Structure formats: structure tokens, C-alpha cells
């Protein structure tokens, strides 16, 4: 217990994806100090994305995660210092999972009619998640915010009646209209159905096929910052595509097949153990588990208010589970 002079020293470790931040809390004041989030290291040996991930996890923390512009600049400095300007693997990847708006998964749910001569779906600039049908019944992935005519259906998925809506809407608005007035946006399961749509469409129109972004970092960090390159990212039938960057493209990101062999960048973390001084009432036992949990929650809130996201706070246990030392 810590009761002498109603003061005690608290030692704790603050980890933000393995990074320790210094926080001092004294009499209702909070000062946050932190260094650079990640330390990057370039490796010139060409590996597949999965091989690079395994190497980084074995020898460092993980493949490079980039969560803000400061980290992007640091990564660019690392690549420029290495004298390498071509593509390198980073920890970014996306899972490709096409779905129908009406959640149909029966016979023909995997039917596709992509325009192959244009490498559709091409995922241009990493912003195309919805599908429209156009010339000769060919399909394109496109920006869901684009306003186009659209095809609704009534009846059942197995015996659908298709209806072209000439009003131009974005994909989400078209979906909402179809659900309110028909069954849903068109689900297309066969060449025969696709021909029916082609006969109705003058130029192009939304259908019900779409996918969620499913953008992830290898280390599990939230995907909140992006730096996309204005290039096509052919998806084909790949279930997963993996992210690259290059100093030659000013750190812009794009996707390549994960089996491509490329150099890569790992990241490591800095660690620091700091002390926290806490004023308590004489009757309070600061080793109480509930009180310790509440303090961590308060510190977490203060970190978030200071603009630090994704932090994980952890007590440094001492002396049979205690974290407090009597201040001398």
C-alpha cells in the first residue's frame, strides 16, 4: 500500500503497437511526449509479400505500416538513403470479395463478365468498389460515387424481371431506390440474363455487384491514412492483392500480385519505461485492480484527446502484482 504523505510513484509502460510513449500525470495536468512512431529498415533481397512479412515478424516488428504523413516522410528518407527508387513491399494488403447487393449466394453467384481486353476489374487509383455493365454486356469496376442509370429487379433471384432506371444516381442511392421500389439492384447469374441487361442498357448502368474496401495493415493497425497512386491495379481473379510504394513515385501506394518478388521495408519500435506520480487519499489502496484499470482508462482517454490513436496501456507489474512504490 502507498499511504505515506499521500503520494506514491507509479511505474507503467505505455505501448502503442509496441511503441512506448512518455506520459507524466501530476495534480490534474497531463504532458504527452512521444518520438517517431516507427523506425524503418530497407532490405534489398527480393521476396514475395508473405515471405517478406514472415522475415519482418521474425527479425523486427512487421512489414512497414504508414499511419500519417510524418511516417511517410520517414519511410521515403529510408528508401532514398538506400539509393532504391523502385517498388518495395509494405504491410498493406486488400482482400477481394465480390458480393451481390441482395446477398445472393446460390447457383450462378460467381458469374462475371469483365471486359478482359481492358484488364477489368482494374481498381484504378484504389477507389473502384462498385460494378456497372456497359458495351456488349461487359462489366467494369468503378467509383461508387459516379452517377449512372441502374438496373433493378423484381420477382425472385431465380426468376428475375429487370427494369432499367434512366435517372442517374450513385451506387448507394441506386441500391436504396431499388430496395424501396423493387427487390434490389440486379443480380446477374448467366450469359442469358446478362444479354437481357445488354439489350436494355444504352451506355452503362449500375448492377448489384460490389465489394467492401477490406484494406488492412499486416500488424493489425487501423487503416486511417492513405497515399494512393493514380494508376490501375489489375485484380483479375486474385483473392488478395498486396501493397507497394517507391521513392520514385514520391511514396505513392499501389497494389501488385502478392507472389511478385520485391525488396521490402520492415519497421521496428522504440521502447521506454517512465514513471507516473499520483496523489491519493490516505484511505485509497492504489493497488486495487479496479482503481488501476480506471487509471489506465483515464490515461487512454487523455492520449486520444491529445491526438494519439491506437495506444495500448499496460502496467509494469512489480512485487507480486503491485505497481506502486512508496515515495522516499
Amino acid at each position: 500500500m502507498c499511504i505515506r504523505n499521500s503520494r506514491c510513484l507509479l511505474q507503467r509502460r505505455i505501448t502503442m503497437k509496441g511503441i512506448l510513449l512518455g506520459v507524466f500525470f501530476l495534480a490534474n495536468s497531463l504532458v504527452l511526449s512521444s518520438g517517431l512512431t516507427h523506425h524503418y529498415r530497407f532490405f534489398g533481397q527480393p521476396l514475395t509479400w508473405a515471405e517478406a512479412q514472415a522475415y519482418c515478424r521474425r527479425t523486427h516488428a512487421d512489414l512497414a505500416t504508414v499511419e500519417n504523413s510524418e511516417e511517410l516522410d520517414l519511410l521515403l528518407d529510408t528508401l532514398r538513403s538506400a539509393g532504391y527508387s523502385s517498388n518495395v513491399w509494405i504491410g498493406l494488403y486488400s482482400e477481394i470479395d465480390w458480393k451481390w447487393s441482395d446477398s445472393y449466394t446460390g447457383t450462378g453467384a460467381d458469374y462475371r463478365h469483365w471486359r478482359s481486353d481492358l484488364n477489368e476489374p482494374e481498381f484504378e487509383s484504389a477507389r473502384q468498389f462498385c460494378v456497372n455493365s456497359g458495351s456488349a454486356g461487359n462489366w467494369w469496376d468503378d467509383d461508387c460515387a459516379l452517377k449512372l442509370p441502374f438496373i433493378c429487379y423484381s420477382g425472385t433471384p431465380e426468376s428475375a424481371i429487370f427494369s432499367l432506371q434512366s435517372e442517374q444516381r450513385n451506387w448507394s442511392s441506386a441500391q436504396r431506390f431499388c430496395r424501396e421500389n423493387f427487390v434490389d439492384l440486379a443480380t446477374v447469374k448467366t450469359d442469358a440474363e446478362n444479354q437481357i441487361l445488354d439489350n436494355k442498357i444504352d451506355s452503362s448502368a449500375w448492377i448489384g455487384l460490389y465489394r467492401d474496401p477490406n484494406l488492412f495493415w499486416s500488424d493489425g493497425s487501423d487503416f486511417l491514412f492513405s497515399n494512393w497512386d493514380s494508376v490501375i491495379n489489375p485484380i483479375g481473379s486474385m483473392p488478395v492483392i498486396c501493397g507497394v510504394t517507391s521513392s520514385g513515385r514520391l511514396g505513392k501506394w499501389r497494389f501488385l500480385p502478392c507472389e511478385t518478388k520485391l525488396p521490402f521495408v520492415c519497421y521496428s519500435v522504440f521502447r521506454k519505461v517512465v514513471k507516473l506520480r499520483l496523489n491519493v487519499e490516505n484511505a485509497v489502496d492504489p493497488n486495487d485492480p479496479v482503481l488501476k484499470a480506471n487509471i489506465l482508462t483515464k490515461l487512454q482517454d487523455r492520449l486520444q484527446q491529445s491526438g494519439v490513436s491506437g495506444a495500448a496501456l499496460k502496467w509494469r507489474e512489480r512485487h507480486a502484482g503491485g505497481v506502486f512504490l512508496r515515495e522516499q
Side-chain angles (χ1 to χ4, degrees):
M1 293 184 63
C2 175
I3 57 175
R4 182 178 177 182
N5 298 325
S6 300
R7 304 176 67 85
C8 32
L9 281 178
L10 209 65
Q11 287 196 333
R12 59 90 181 86
R13 177 173 294 166
I14 298 180
T15 306
M16 180 181 179
K17 305 180 187 72
I19 302 155
L20 296 177
L21 305 172
V23 178
F24 297 86
F25 183 68
L26 175 62
N28 299 318
S29 69
L30 178 71
V31 178
L32 174 67
S33 65
S34 64
L36 293 171
T37 305
H38 292 149
H39 173 68
Y40 299 108
R41 185 174 178 185
F42 168 78
F43 292 89
Q45 179 185 1
L47 298 177
T48 68
W49 189 91
E51 290 170 344
Q53 179 194 52
Y55 180 87
C56 290
R57 288 180 171 179
R58 185 170 64 251
T59 62
H60 294 75
D62 212 315
L63 270 169
T65 296
V66 184
E67 296 185 282
N68 51 58
S69 58
E70 290 78 13
E71 291 183 356
L72 178 62
D73 290 341
L74 181 61
L75 176 58
L76 280 172
D77 288 343
T78 301
L79 294 176
R80 288 166 180 158
S81 296
Y84 194 81
S85 60
S86 297
N87 288 328
V88 297
W89 289 127
I90 56 176
L92 179 65
Y93 69 100
S94 178
E95 296 176 348
I96 310 300
D97 182 20
W98 293 107
K99 297 179 286 189
W100 291 105
S101 176
D102 64 355
S103 301
Y104 179 76
T105 58
T107 302
D110 58 352
Y111 175 81
R112 307 287 185 265
H113 202 276
W114 302 113
R115 181 162 180 174
S116 58
D117 62 325
L118 293 180
N119 292 319
E120 295 290 339
E122 63 181 9
F123 196 27
E124 183 179 357
S125 301
R127 67 172 186 267
Q128 299 179 318
F129 299 100
C130 297
V131 176
N132 68 71
S133 179
S135 175
N138 289 309
W139 298 359
W140 287 260
D141 63 338
D142 222 328
D143 188 340
C144 302
L146 184 66
K147 291 187 177 181
L148 294 173
F150 51 99
I151 302 285
C152 302
Y153 85 87
S154 55
T156 66
E158 293 76 16
S159 181
I161 300 172
F162 299 110
S163 175
L164 173 66
Q165 307 300 310
S166 58
E167 179 186 3
Q168 297 191 0
R169 293 173 177 252
N170 63 42
W171 192 91
S172 295
S173 178
Q175 179 194 55
R176 183 168 58 252
F177 179 92
C178 290
R179 288 178 172 180
E180 291 174 351
N181 298 279
F182 296 86
V183 174
D184 213 317
L185 277 166
T187 295
V188 188
K189 306 175 297 302
T190 65
D191 281 332
E193 289 185 343
N194 198 47
Q195 185 60 54
I196 293 173
L197 265 64
D198 184 39
N199 293 337
K200 292 179 177 291
I201 297 171
D202 295 327
S203 177
S204 62
W206 291 125
I207 60 175
L209 194 64
Y210 76 102
R211 67 184 182 92
D212 296 319
N214 291 334
L215 297 166
F216 306 103
W217 289 109
S218 175
D219 68 354
S221 299
D222 292 334
F223 187 85
L224 302 174
F225 171 80
S226 62
N227 191 44
W228 301 119
D229 204 346
S230 298
V231 297
I232 64 172
N233 299 279
I235 294 173
S237 59
M238 293 181 289
V240 180
I241 50 179
C242 295
V244 300
T245 190
S246 71
S247 60
R249 300 285 293 182
L250 300 178
K252 298 291 185 180
W253 307 343
R254 63 169 302 177
F255 289 100
L256 292 176
C258 301
E259 294 306 309
T260 308
K261 291 200 171 187
L262 295 172
F264 55 97
V265 178
C266 302
Y267 84 85
S268 299
V269 296
F270 298 105
R271 296 181 180 273
K272 184 188 294 183
V273 177
V274 298
K275 294 181 179 180
L276 185 70
R277 175 175 288 137
L278 181 70
N279 291 334
V280 298
E281 298 294 335
N282 286 343
V284 173
D285 177 9
N287 281 314
D288 178 80
V290 174
L291 178 59
K292 290 192 294 184
N294 288 339
I295 294 172
L296 287 185
T297 299
K298 292 291 185 181
L299 287 172
Q300 184 81 49
D301 292 342
R302 296 298 293 272
L303 282 172
Q304 292 177 351
Q305 292 169 12
S306 300
V308 179
S309 61
L313 306 183
K314 181 180 179 181
W315 292 117
R316 187 185 186 195
E317 301 291 343
R318 301 172 60 93
H319 306 300
V323 298
F324 295 96
L325 291 176
R326 181 178 301 169
E327 185 178 42
Q328 300 300 322

